[in-house]
Structures are given as C-alpha cells and as structure tokens.
Amino acid sequence: MSDAEQGMVEEFLEEIDPIVFAFGALLTAGVIVGFFVNQALVTETIGTLYEWVVTYLNWALLVIVFLIVLFLLFLIVGPWGKIKMGDSDPEYSFLSYFAMLYSAGFAAGVVFWGPTEALFYYDNPSPLFGIEGGTSEAVPYAIQQTLFHWALPQLAVFTIMGLAISYFAYNYEGVPLRVSSALTPILGKENLDGPAAKVVDILAVFATIGGVATSLGFIGSQFIAGLNYQWGIDLGNVGILLVVTTMTLLFTISMVLGVDRGIRRLSNFNMILFVILMVATFILGPTLFLLLLGSQAMGGMIADFTSMSLYTGTGSDGGTGWMNSWTVFYWAWALSWSPFAGLFIARISKGRTVREVAFTGIGATSAATIPWFTVVGGTALQYHHTGVADFSPVINNFTPEISGFILFDAFPLGTVFMIAFMILVTTFFITSADSSTLAVSMMTTGGKARPSTINRVFWGVVLGLTAAILMILGGEGGTSALQDAVIITGAPFAFVCFAAMLSLIKDFGSSYGRVLLQDETVLVGSSRKAETESPPGSGGPVESDDD
C-alpha cells in the first residue's frame, strides 16, 4: 500500500464515529440480508408495523407537518427571519444555492411523478371533495391535490431540519454538523455525544439509506422502462445491475469531485434542462387550458389548504384509507428523507439568514414545482381525458414509470423529448444519490463537513447496491415492503422535526426576544407583585406631595 493510500485509510479510521457507522451499516445490511433469507417473514412483519403506524400515528403526522408549514411561513415574514447562520458570507450564489437545494433529492421525485400523479387523483379523487372520478370536474381537483402534496408540506420537513442543524452548528461553538444537533436545546450541548443523540443519528442513517434507495429504485426503473417502452430493450436483472452500477459510478465521481465542482455544476445543468423541457411542454401542449387549469388549481389549493392538511377521512367512506395511501404516505416518506435533506441544506446554508433558508426551502422550490406539475401533469390529464393519449395502462396497472414516455410520444419529435426526459431522470438520480451519500458520510463522521473519499465511496456503493436489490426484488413485493419500512422509520422523524421546531422557538425566543408573549408573562394569577396594602378606607395608594 502506498503512502497516499495509507494516509487515506488512516483519515477514514480517524474520522468515523464507530457507533453510528457500525450500527447504520449493520441495520442496512440486516434488512438486505433479511429479504434474501426470509423475504415473506420480513415483508409480513414490516406490513404489520406499517398498519400500526398509519392507524395510530396518521393524525400526528398531519398535525405536525401543518404546524411546521405555518412556522416556516412565519419565519419568512416575521422578525426572526433576519437571524444569520454564522458570521461569514454565503459560499454560493443564490441561484446555485437554490439549484443544489432543489436537486438534492426532492426534484428526482418531482420529475418521476410529474406526468403521473394527477392521473390517479383524476381516476380516484380525494373523498374530501365529494366528486366523481373520471369526469371533467375531477380534472382541476386532481392538479390541486398534486400541488398540495408536492409544494409546501414535503419541502417544509426538509427545511425545518436544515434550519435547526445549521443554526445550532454555525451559531454555537463546538456543535457539529449532524442530525442530533437540531435538538441541542433539548438534549443539551454537553449531551450531543450521549446515547440519545447516537440513537437519533443511527436512525437518521438507516432512514436515509432506506428512503433514498427506494426512491432511486423508482428513478432507475423509469430509465429502464423507457428503454423497454421506446426501443423494446428488456434488460433483465443483469441489465438492472449494469444500469445502477453505471449510475453509481457516475454519482460517486461527482461526489468525489466535491460540492463545488460536482453537485453544484450538475444541479445547475439539471435546472436548465428541467426548465427547457417544461417550457417546451407548455408551448406544444394545450397552452390556454394549462393557464386556466393552473389558476384554478392554485386558487383551490390556497383556499382548501387547511382542510386538506388536516383531513383524516373521518365520516366518509374510504376516506381514511385514501388519506393513508397518499397524504400520510408522502409525509412519512418525506420525513424519512428529512435527516439527509436537512443535513445537506445545513451544509450549504452557512452565511445565509433564516429568512433566506425558509424562503428557498418552501417558497422558491414551490415556485418551481407548481408550474412543472401544472404543465406536465395537466397536459397528461387533458390528453387522457380527451383521448389524445391513453394512460389506462398506468392507471389500471399502477405503472407510473411509463407515464412520461406515453406523454412525450404524443408530441412532435417525441423521441427527442423522451431522450431529454431520460437524461433529466438520470442526472437527478445522480445529484440525489450524490448529496444523500455526502449527508450519510457526514452523519457517520460525527459531523465532518468534508468526509474522506473512502467514506463517501463506501456509502455510495451501499446506496447503489441497495437500490439495485430493491429494483430486482420489486417484482416480488420487495420495493413495496421497503416503502412500508420507510414509513415506519419516517414516522418517528415527525417528532424529531417537531422537536427541532420547538428547539428553534425556544432559542430564538430567549436570544432574540419573544414574539407572542412577553418575557415575564403570567398565564394564571396576577402579573405584579402584591403592593403594600393601603390603610382601610384610603381608596388606594396615597400620592405624596413634596411641594
């Protein structure tokens, strides 16, 4: 072994947190091995736990996510927004910062579900609205529901974790960049290496690997489905391994190049291609219809936001089941991503204000997401409703990975659009895997901002291998089972995110002044000390006359 290689190994061994690294790796490996040893038993156990979570904790997820959205909106307009993360200047321009934040995982799901999700709500609308599926009336509600699921709430759980981690890491001496740091006021600064903090960080590693690998399995399946749909290329299991291995190699190269040369440049490319594809769809699609549809759906989402956020399905036939299958699933899945996304947001947010982070996290990203789902999803809906394109195989067989190819096949130069779509899917796959692997590497080093190359490559291989296995097992229920496992792991992070929000409120209130209550507000009883009693009949304190 050369001196350089020896130095890399020594750096890796010195930087890792042995407890978090070992338990995170073992938990991930345990799930993979469990599927191979006794897949039926593991699937059944996970399914039972999943049912318990969505039966008893669904309301909690809805309430917590709603409160986090309200808090972030307040930070954007309120006095706490001027608080800064550290005392240095931002490392990246605002556009690069936004592109990295958007591309760091969330956008991969946006691209995948863009032409698909509204079709399912069109066919089976939320019972909250009381409308019949497959009708003209269901079209705007389908887009409205999609915008609700992909705009503010999912983004909010990423942003609150990013805010909490970055604030305590950059404004408190000796607080590392890791997930447990978001709970600094609750755990105590002196206990960030204690058992409770370790548990939070271990679950964060496991949740990130499970959540991101499942999502990357979806993105990879879309790439493979495109090859099969357009050119009849059936890759099989060997081909799946080959595709995912190639993608793993690409995102590992990007990751080793670092945030500035790797993730930043690729994120900027992603956003340019994202906008080009969206604008082209808007021009070639039913343009006027999309303008009318977007206006109505946006207005409906704003008007119905509270009722949609807190809808539990009580009192309506199948309402709770619908809500569990969609809203609760999305919130829990987003929560399983919150440790990785939050840590990555914290990594790139040094020098920015609370208002900038909150606005970019839920405002600017929503401004990019809403047009995409309106244009791409609205075009697919209109084409299906009017018979221009047939999305029945997607709806009937639940095969969302082929929707984009059916949509763009109906366009002039459809093959060009499909290739651009597949490139976009692939590059978002790379940036998602790149940023999530960096975040896991940071988690397992106790918060080191620039982990060693060996550490990053190790977790990149684990992530790619997990995604490949899930895609292979997907035909036998493997992907579905791990999605359930992601829900189980994501649900506890609802309470971690809630605790992170309370940590920020506590610290902001004590350091920068309370907003709602005075520092010495008394809720019960007198707010003043008892005054010296006046003599009977005096009618109150007697004013002295010094004249």
Side-chain angles (χ1 to χ4, degrees):
M1 184 181 294
S2 67
D3 290 343
E5 290 173 333
Q6 240 177 353
M8 291 172 63
V9 172
E10 286 174 4
E11 182 187 1
F12 167 68
L13 294 175
E14 286 176 4
E15 73 180 0
I16 64 170
D17 182 325
I19 296 176
V20 176
F21 185 92
F23 276 90
L26 287 173
L27 278 172
T28 306
V31 171
I32 296 171
V33 171
F35 273 116
F36 281 111
V37 173
N38 193 337
Q39 184 180 334
L41 178 61
V42 174
T43 303
E44 184 181 344
T45 303
I46 290 175
T48 302
L49 292 173
Y50 166 80
E51 288 298 326
W52 187 90
V53 170
V54 297
T55 300
Y56 296 105
L57 295 181
N58 50 9
W59 65 271
L61 268 64
L62 298 177
V63 171
I64 288 171
V65 171
F66 178 65
L67 292 176
I68 290 172
V69 171
L70 295 184
F71 177 63
L72 290 174
L73 291 173
F74 168 74
L75 289 181
I76 293 173
V77 299
W80 288 341
K82 62 185 178 183
I83 299 168
K84 195 174 179 181
M85 308 295 173
D87 53 9
S88 61
D89 292 329
E91 190 176 353
Y92 308 100
S93 69
F94 178 78
L95 288 178
S96 288
Y97 174 68
F98 161 72
M100 284 191 290
L101 192 151
Y102 193 67
S103 299
F106 178 77
V110 171
V111 173
F112 181 86
W113 289 103
T116 299
E117 185 161 337
L119 293 167
F120 294 114
Y121 304 146
Y122 164 80
D123 182 63
N124 182 24
S126 168
L128 171 66
F129 302 119
I131 56 176
E132 185 181 348
T135 62
S136 298
E137 188 182 13
V139 171
Y141 284 103
I143 295 295
Q144 176 180 326
Q145 188 72 48
T146 306
L147 298 185
F148 168 71
H149 279 157
W150 285 94
L152 298 177
Q154 281 203 65
L155 296 157
V157 299
F158 303 161
T159 307
I160 196 68
M161 287 301 294
L163 267 174
I165 295 169
S166 57
Y167 173 74
F168 294 115
Y170 298 136
N171 293 73
Y172 279 66
E173 188 178 349
V175 175
L177 262 178
R178 61 186 186 215
V179 176
S180 55
S181 297
L183 309 183
T184 296
I186 295 174
L187 297 175
K189 182 181 171 182
E190 66 282 359
N191 295 321
L192 289 179
D193 286 319
K198 296 292 186 191
V199 169
V200 171
D201 289 330
I202 290 167
L203 286 177
V205 171
F206 181 59
T208 299
I209 293 294
V212 175
T214 302
S215 301
L216 296 184
F218 267 130
I219 304 303
S221 69
Q222 192 168 51
F223 181 89
I224 291 166
L227 294 177
N228 193 16
Y229 179 86
Q230 182 64 16
W231 295 287
I233 301 172
D234 186 4
L235 294 174
N237 291 345
V238 174
I240 289 173
L241 286 172
L242 182 62
V243 167
V244 175
T245 299
T246 303
M247 290 185 176
T248 302
L249 180 63
L250 290 174
F251 79 69
T252 302
I253 292 171
S254 171
M255 177 180 55
V256 171
L257 287 173
V259 174
D260 188 53
R261 289 185 298 165
I263 298 176
R264 181 181 65 84
R265 291 179 181 176
L266 197 54
S267 297
N268 290 341
F269 169 80
N270 287 345
M271 293 310 301
I272 293 170
L273 184 57
F274 180 81
V275 171
I276 290 173
L277 196 58
M278 180 171 63
V279 170
T281 303
F282 177 72
I283 294 171
L284 294 175
T287 306
L288 180 59
F289 170 80
L290 294 176
L291 291 172
L292 297 172
L293 176 66
S295 300
Q296 183 171 332
M298 185 67 182
M301 186 188 74
I302 294 171
D304 297 330
F305 186 80
T306 301
S307 58
M308 294 169 76
S309 295
L310 301 177
Y311 176 66
T312 61
T314 304
S316 61
D317 249 0
T320 301
W322 192 98
M323 179 268 302
N324 284 338
S325 297
W326 287 107
T327 306
V328 172
F329 171 77
Y330 271 133
W331 283 194
W333 204 352
L335 286 160
S336 75
W337 279 54
S338 64
F340 125 66
L343 193 56
F344 183 76
I345 290 171
R347 166 66 180 80
I348 62 176
S349 294
K350 188 174 184 179
R352 301 207 172 267
T353 64
V354 166
R355 181 173 290 113
E356 283 180 299
V357 179
F359 169 74
T360 308
I362 65 171
T365 46
S366 292
T369 299
I370 288 170
W372 173 264
F373 276 105
T374 301
V375 170
V376 178
T379 302
L381 264 183
Q382 171 72 348
Y383 281 7
H384 181 70
H385 187 70
T386 57
V388 174
D390 183 15
F391 290 88
S392 299
V394 176
I395 298 172
N396 297 336
N397 303 323
F398 199 84
T399 51
E401 62 271 10
I402 65 173
S403 286
F405 304 104
I406 295 175
L407 171 64
F408 294 122
D409 194 33
F411 281 14
L413 300 174
T415 301
V416 175
F417 279 93
M418 287 184 197
I419 292 172
F421 186 66
M422 290 172 70
I423 291 173
L424 189 62
V425 167
T426 304
T427 53
F428 272 132
F429 179 109
I430 292 168
T431 48
S432 298
D434 189 339
S435 50
S436 60
T437 305
L438 174 63
V440 173
S441 300
M442 292 168 64
M443 292 178 202
T444 56
T445 58
K448 187 177 179 181
R450 291 178 172 81
S452 67
T453 301
I454 292 179
N455 197 346
R456 286 180 285 175
V457 169
F458 172 81
W459 287 110
V461 171
V462 169
L463 189 61
L465 178 63
T466 306
I469 290 172
L470 294 180
M471 291 169 66
I472 292 170
L473 294 177
E476 301 170 12
T479 302
S480 174
L482 200 71
Q483 284 175 8
D484 291 351
V486 168
I487 301 297
I488 298 164
T489 312
F493 271 94
F495 302 97
V496 174
C497 288
F498 185 65
M501 181 181 74
L502 295 181
S503 297
L504 288 173
I505 293 172
K506 181 178 185 299
D507 194 278
F508 289 171
S510 61
S511 302
Y512 302 97
R514 295 183 184 175
V515 175
L516 298 179
L517 300 173
Q518 297 176 15
D519 288 344
E520 296 183 2
T521 296
V522 177
L523 296 180
V524 179
S526 174
S527 62
R528 296 183 301 171
K529 294 181 180 178
E531 298 179 18
T532 305
E533 290 185 5
S534 304
S538 66
V542 178
E543 295 183 4
S544 61
D545 189 351
D546 295 327
D547 293 338

